[in-house]
Amino acid sequence: MKKIILGLLALIALAAGAVCAMAAMQPDHIHVERSVSVAASPADVAPFAEDLKKVNAWSPWEGKDPSMKRTYSERTAGVGATYHWKGNDDVGEGRMTIKSTAPGKVVIELNFIAPFEAIADATIAYAAEGEGTKVTW
């Protein structure tokens, strides 16, 4: 009986070690992006990329919790503007801060607080394409 228990413990330890080894080999960074073409000029698109209130007007996360608590800094556009949210399990809690802006590009730092802690950068880029604008998030 003692050999069976020791064998099971060794098997569990080996499986846990294999899982840890596989996790250690995964990349530290991932990159995901989606693009859409809109029938608007880059000048018309810019406010929806550069102002956090307007970003949230089209963000797919906004509809996941209608009772989500939202707090914006005094300025909602430009470097340093912030947005804090706290919602249900679908959206969690976090903070967005505009890190940089340039013509056609806004970089936002995402600080996730709950249900897990993480920091990520989100870039919204937009440029003329044909008669419209290509927007990449």
Side-chain angles (χ1 to χ4, degrees), residues 73-135:
S73 59
E74 190 173 318
R75 288 182 312 106
T76 59
V79 175
T82 62
Y83 161 64
H84 177 263
W85 74 90
K86 186 171 185 176
N88 62 20
D89 290 343
D90 290 334
V91 297
E93 180 180 4
R95 179 182 184 102
M96 297 169 66
T97 304
I98 296 179
K99 283 177 54 172
S100 66
T101 62
K105 184 177 179 182
V106 178
V107 179
I108 300 170
E109 181 178 88
L110 297 168
N111 288 295
F112 297 102
I113 299 167
F116 56 86
E117 291 185 18
I119 297 175
D121 283 339
T123 300
I124 303 169
Y126 53 96
E129 179 181 71
E131 294 184 23
T133 301
K134 180 180 179 183
V135 181

Side-chain angles (χ1 to χ4, degrees), residues 40-57:
S41 71
D44 291 334
V45 170
F48 291 93
E50 298 171 358
D51 185 311
L52 293 175
K53 280 190 177 179
K54 292 182 180 177
V55 167
N56 288 336

